[in-house]
């Protein structure tokens, strides 16, 4: 009996010893959270190695100031842009080919080839971007930010993209925006970006359409330049399908073929658009996807699912389509059978805390299901969605998560690994990214434990208006 007791005690001591490193790691971070000022905590999280951003719409994820500069710079390539600054109540509006656009929408952008097709009255409503007054320029910049308390989901889905309009169709602008994203995200510790963006419908200065493969060549050329490579960030793209279009199935077939022949840059397909528009319900696409999988190997799917208020089985149905990642998953909490299915993988939920609040899918973070998913073992990773519209960044997402849900160090590190483990990038690159991430995190933690806040003396954190408005944490803003 004595021998059994001694053996049991030895086992307890061994287990305790094995757990000591984890407990020590937990202790230093718990002390940091308890004692750090908001500015210190944000600085720590800004410098933190973060892995990747797997849910980022490029056209909604860049800062207004970047887009302004890039759009004006297109004059060198023969583009001129006009934006709507007044309403003249023109008699013939709606009779021309632009009549499908909301007429009472200021700061809608046209390139010169489309502006020239307007009648005289409608032309008076527009000004060249470079001719805007300071007040009009400020209005243009704010028109593609969700920066007022009365703005929400309808403004986002019903005005933002319609305002961008022709600016969305210039491949040179978006190639430059990819690099700006790489620079900004690289500065806050990310090593991988998987941006959602298309290559169809791009316009030349004369209004003719670029072939999509020519658009991809424009992207490749820009990403091969020295400034892009210097960021140290690996970038891949998903192409998007607007899910509720009447011909969405035929478009999906075109996108499969496109991704198949551009696999070096495009790694998957994503279905986007308001999920509460039931014309885009997931199972609509199941027959088409089954047909496509007979012809194309290993086309990855990461699909918006559960970004709705009401309970439904969209997440389950999205998994049935073949998705490996779910975007948002807010209402997954109402589908316990699917939650059980997703515990411990092989599926990941792309969590967008700031987006879900500003688009009113939760009215307060106490309602957000993120901590439940995280702590019952459903793989999750933080992402930024349309961060240009929110005027935020990835460090803001981490700050929200730590402040609202008391994340442990182990949870932070695991989410960073998840963001790389579930990336669609080719496997050898993924393994290198994971290995580098582990080294960076270990080095970062070791430096902080050794030197404390002195290890962050050279860090200059960048934040934007969301954190200032929500948490009264107003840091220098850099464009």
């Amino acid at each position: 009996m004595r021998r059994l007791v001694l053996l049991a005690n030895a086992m307890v001591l061994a287990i305790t010893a094995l757990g000591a490193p984890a407990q020590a790691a937990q202790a230093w971070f718990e002390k940091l959270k308890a004692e750090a000022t908001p500015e210190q905590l944000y600085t720590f999280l800004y410098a933190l190695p973060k892995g990747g951003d797997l849910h980022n719409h490029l056209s909604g994820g860049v800062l207004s100031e970047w887009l302004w500069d890039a759009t004006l710079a297109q004059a060198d390539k023969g583009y001129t842009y006009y934006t709507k600054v007044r309403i003249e109540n023109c008699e013939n509006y709606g009779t021309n080919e632009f009549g499908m656009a909301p007429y009472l929408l200021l700061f809608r952008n046209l390139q010169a080839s489309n502006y020239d097709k307007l009648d005289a009255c409608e032309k008076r409503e527009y000004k060249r971007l470079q001719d805007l007054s300071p007040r009009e320029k400020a209005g243009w910049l704010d028109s593609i930010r969700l920066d007022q308390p009365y703005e929400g989901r309808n403004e986002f889905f019903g005005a933002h993209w319609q305002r961008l309009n022709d600016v969305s169709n210039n491949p040179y602008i978006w190639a430059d925006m990819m690099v700006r994203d790489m620079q900004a995200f690289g500065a806050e510790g990310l090593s991988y970006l998987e941006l959602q963006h298309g290559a169809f419908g791009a316009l030349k200065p004369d209004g003719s359409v670029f072939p999509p493969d020519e658009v991809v060549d424009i992207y490749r050329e820009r990403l091969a330049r020295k400034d892009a490579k210097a960021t140290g960030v690996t970038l891949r793209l998903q192409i998007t399908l607007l899910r509720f279009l009447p011909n969405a199935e035929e478009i999906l077939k075109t996108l499969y073929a496109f991704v198949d022949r551009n696999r070096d840059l495009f790694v998957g397909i994503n279905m986007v658009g308001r999920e509460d528009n039931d014309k885009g319900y997931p199972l609509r696409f199941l027959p088409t996807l089954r047909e496509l999988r007979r012809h194309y190997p290993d086309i990855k799917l990461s699909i918006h699912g559960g970004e709705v208020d009401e309970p439904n089985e969209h997440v389950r149905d999205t998994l049935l389509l073949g998705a490996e990642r779910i975007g948002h998953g807010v209402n997954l909490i109402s589908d316990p059978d699917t939650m059980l299915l997703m515990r411990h993988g092989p599926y990941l939920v792309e969590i967008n805390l700031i987006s879900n609040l500003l688009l009113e899918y939760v009215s307060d973070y106490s309602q957000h299901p993120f901590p439940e998913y995280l702590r019952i073992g459903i793989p999750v990773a933080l992402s930024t969605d349309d961060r240009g519209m929110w005027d935020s960044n990835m460090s803001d997402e981490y700050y929200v998560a730590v402040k609202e849900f008391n994340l442990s160090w182990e949870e932070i590190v695991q989410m960073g690994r998840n963001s790389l483990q579930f990336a669609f990038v080719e496997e050898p690159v993924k393994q290198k990214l994971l290995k580098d991430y582990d080294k960076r995190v270990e080095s970062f933690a070791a430096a902080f434990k050794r030197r404390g806040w002195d290890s962050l003396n050279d860090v200059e954190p960048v934040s934007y208006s969301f954190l200032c408005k929500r948490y009264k944490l107003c840091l220098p803003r850099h464009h």
Side-chain angles (χ1 to χ4, degrees):
M1 182 68 179
R2 175 179 170 80
R3 185 174 297 174
L4 288 174
V5 171
L6 290 172
L7 180 61
N9 288 338
M11 290 176 66
V12 169
L13 290 170
I15 292 169
T16 302
L18 287 171
Q23 292 170 358
Q26 178 82 358
W28 72 266
F29 188 64
E30 294 305 307
K31 184 174 186 292
L32 182 155
K33 288 187 296 182
E35 297 178 357
T37 66
E39 292 82 1
Q40 285 177 322
L41 177 60
Y42 187 81
T43 300
F44 178 91
L45 294 172
Y46 185 85
L48 171 77
K50 300 183 183 67
D53 188 352
L54 300 181
H55 189 119
N56 183 318
H57 301 265
L58 180 62
S59 58
V62 298
L63 301 184
S64 298
E65 292 83 2
W66 299 355
L67 201 54
W68 172 269
D69 292 340
T71 303
L72 288 182
Q74 297 308 302
D76 292 343
K77 293 184 173 65
Y79 291 91
T80 301
Y81 287 92
Y82 295 78
T83 195
K84 192 169 190 173
V85 295
R86 64 178 63 87
I87 306 294
E88 295 281 359
N89 293 312
C90 296
E91 185 175 336
N92 294 321
Y93 89 85
T95 62
N96 59 44
E97 62 185 293
F98 305 103
M100 295 299 291
Y103 179 69
L104 301 176
L105 187 67
L106 294 176
F107 302 111
R108 178 172 168 84
N109 298 290
L110 297 177
Q111 69 176 49
S113 62
N114 284 328
Y115 169 83
D116 290 341
K117 298 174 185 177
L118 299 177
D119 63 27
C121 178
E122 288 191 83
K123 283 182 177 177
R124 292 197 300 271
E125 298 178 320
Y126 286 80
K127 290 175 71 171
R128 292 192 315 163
L129 289 192
Q130 52 265 58
D131 296 332
L132 298 188
S133 69
R135 183 171 178 270
E136 290 167 337
K137 177 183 174 182
W140 189 95
L141 294 172
D142 286 340
S143 73
I144 44 180
R145 282 195 277 254
L146 211 65
D147 63 341
Q148 298 298 328
Y150 53 81
E151 295 178 322
R153 192 183 313 173
N154 291 331
E155 170 75 10
F156 174 75
F157 286 111
H160 174 64
W161 317 104
Q162 292 83 348
R163 285 192 177 106
L164 285 177
N165 196 36
D166 284 350
V167 169
S168 296
N169 298 324
N170 184 318
Y172 300 105
I173 289 176
W174 298 106
D176 283 340
M177 292 300 94
M178 291 175 197
V179 177
R180 289 299 299 266
D181 256 352
M182 293 166 74
Q183 292 167 336
F185 280 106
E188 55 174 324
L190 275 79
S191 59
Y192 180 70
L193 283 175
E194 198 169 289
L195 302 176
Q196 297 174 38
H197 198 67
F200 289 77
L203 299 177
K204 298 178 181 179
D206 63 4
S208 59
V209 178
F210 280 100
D213 288 342
E214 190 174 332
V215 172
V216 182
D217 286 339
I218 292 170
Y219 297 163
R220 288 190 184 105
E221 186 278 328
R222 184 65 186 89
L223 294 171
R225 293 186 204 170
K226 185 181 297 185
D227 60 343
K229 291 182 176 297
T231 66
V233 174
T234 299
L235 182 140
R236 297 292 186 269
L237 300 173
Q238 299 174 38
I239 199 159
T240 53
L241 170 69
L242 196 56
R243 64 198 305 154
F244 49 74
L245 292 177
N247 62 336
E249 290 88 347
E250 292 305 310
I251 297 173
L252 182 57
K253 295 175 184 178
T254 300
L255 297 185
Y256 251 73
F258 171 83
V259 170
D260 184 57
R261 65 179 182 267
N262 292 289
R263 289 176 182 259
D264 61 311
L265 185 56
F266 282 84
V267 293
I269 295 173
N270 204 310
M271 294 181 189
V272 302
R274 291 189 73 146
E275 202 179 335
D276 54 10
N277 181 336
D278 286 337
K279 291 180 180 178
Y281 70 98
L283 291 185
R284 168 185 171 182
F285 300 96
L286 187 56
T288 305
L289 285 165
R290 285 178 171 168
E291 175 190 344
L292 289 166
R293 280 193 281 263
R294 287 198 289 267
H295 303 286
Y296 297 99
D298 198 31
I299 301 289
K300 304 289 189 181
L301 299 176
S302 173
I303 300 175
H304 289 57
E307 191 188 13
V308 286
D309 299 312
E310 68 276 4
N312 59 34
E313 295 178 332
H314 280 189
V315 174
R316 184 206 66 179
D317 294 346
T318 298
L319 295 177
L320 185 60
L321 295 184
E324 298 176 38
R325 301 197 320 245
I326 299 297
H328 296 282
V330 177
N331 81 345
L332 170 62
I333 194 77
S334 66
D335 185 355
D337 289 341
T338 305
M339 286 182 68
L340 284 172
L341 174 68
M342 297 179 69
R343 287 188 72 190
H344 312 300
Y347 311 107
L348 175 129
V349 180
E350 302 155 354
I351 297 292
N352 303 284
L353 295 171
I354 295 173
S355 172
N356 297 156
L357 182 75
L358 294 184
L359 296 187
E360 303 161 345
Y361 292 108
V362 295
S363 60
D364 188 81
Y365 281 124
S366 63
Q367 300 175 353
H368 204 289
F370 160 64
E372 183 73 3
Y373 303 162
L374 172 70
R375 287 162 181 159
I376 69 166
I378 295 175
V380 292
L382 297 176
S383 46
T384 63
D385 200 14
D386 293 281
R387 69 103 169 196
M389 278 289 283
W390 325 142
D391 209 30
S392 65
N393 61 13
M394 180 63 91
S395 299
D396 292 4
E397 300 283 347
Y398 273 78
Y399 187 86
V400 171
V402 172
K403 291 290 287 186
E404 300 289 345
F405 306 113
N406 191 31
L407 296 191
S408 70
W409 176 247
E410 290 77 12
E411 288 170 336
I412 288 174
V413 173
Q414 185 58 54
M415 285 197 301
R417 286 199 107 255
N418 288 346
S419 69
L420 299 174
Q421 187 65 56
F422 286 84
F424 291 161
V425 69
E426 51 271 28
E427 193 63 26
V429 177
K430 177 189 294 187
Q431 293 307 317
K432 182 179 184 304
L433 289 168
L434 281 164
K435 185 177 180 180
D436 290 347
Y437 173 77
D438 289 340
K439 287 181 178 178
R440 289 191 299 130
V441 168
E442 183 180 355
S443 175
F444 176 79
F448 188 86
K449 285 186 280 188
R450 185 174 65 253
R451 299 177 55 211
W453 295 107
D454 286 345
S455 67
L456 303 179
N457 282 342
D458 295 333
V459 177
E460 296 184 9
V462 176
S463 186
Y464 301 98
S465 65
F466 172 80
L467 216 62
C468 186
K469 288 183 291 189
R470 178 76 182 177
Y471 296 101
K472 309 304 180 188
L473 179 53
C474 306
L475 299 173
R477 176 189 180 101
H478 304 289
H479 302 148

